[in-house]
Amino acid sequence: GEPSRGVPGSAAARAAGEKLTELADTLEPLLVYAWRRHLSAAIARMVADAEPSADHEGVFRVVGFADLVSFTALVRRLSEHQLVQVVQRFEALASEVIAAHGGRVIKTVGDEVLYVTIGTPPAAAIALDLVDAIKEDDILPKVRVGMASGQVVSRLGDVFGTTVNRASRLTAVARPNTVVVDDAVATALSSVSGFEMAQLPPRTLRGLGRITPWRLQRAGASGRRGRSDSGSATTT
């Protein structure tokens, strides 16, 4: 009978096999290069997490939370199959963006992704790219991102501490399709081209006290960068 849809015929399979064999030598250097880059990044993270201070004060990280908006309502509306598609799409897209900027996915929990970076600019690029990518995706709802930087305790692949809690709380006050960061992140990005921050009204966050959040966005066409204390900033 006819071959099943999506399954190549014998002639096509042989042709594909021959072509892949021809390309093996050409692809080998590229595969080795990619493997070396991944290995180098893994070693760098392992060494950084094993800093002498890790057992006491922790290590410095920028922590980001990406959270799908109105996920509970989505759960009620979608079938189980559709919900699985949404979650898998979110996890795959987030992992791709985070890896592209050298970040590390700590964990994914349905509608939320927790990631860390060592540097602040990569974390900011991840957050903004995530918002843009998900905004253009037809399957996914809107997303919001919260970021904070400081000391974290790294254990068994997870991270803990006040910095992680602060990033999570900032995510909760962010509006859809926006990125909200703490003062430490805003200060670190104030002299970095490509980003600009607008100060938001101070907020009292449970367990963290009163902090000043900032809305992060890409620099405008004028190339303006740094922090703006304009009172016209949108509140969360």
Side-chain angles (χ1 to χ4, degrees), residues 94-165:
S95 297
E96 180 181 338
V97 171
I98 293 167
H101 292 285
R104 177 159 65 102
V105 175
I106 297 298
K107 57 187 172 184
T108 59
V109 186
D111 61 330
E112 189 173 74
V113 171
L114 168 63
Y115 69 90
V116 299
T117 66
I118 296 176
T120 307
I126 288 170
L128 294 174
D129 283 357
L130 268 176
V131 169
D132 289 345
I134 291 176
K135 193 187 302 183
E136 296 175 0
D137 194 285
D138 295 331
I139 297 178
L140 298 176
K142 296 175 181 178
V143 71
R144 54 188 180 179
V145 183
M147 289 196 335
S149 66
Q151 298 294 318
V152 303
V153 176
S154 179
R155 288 290 184 276
L156 301 176
D158 206 345
V159 290
F160 309 90
T162 302
T163 302
V164 180
N165 295 338

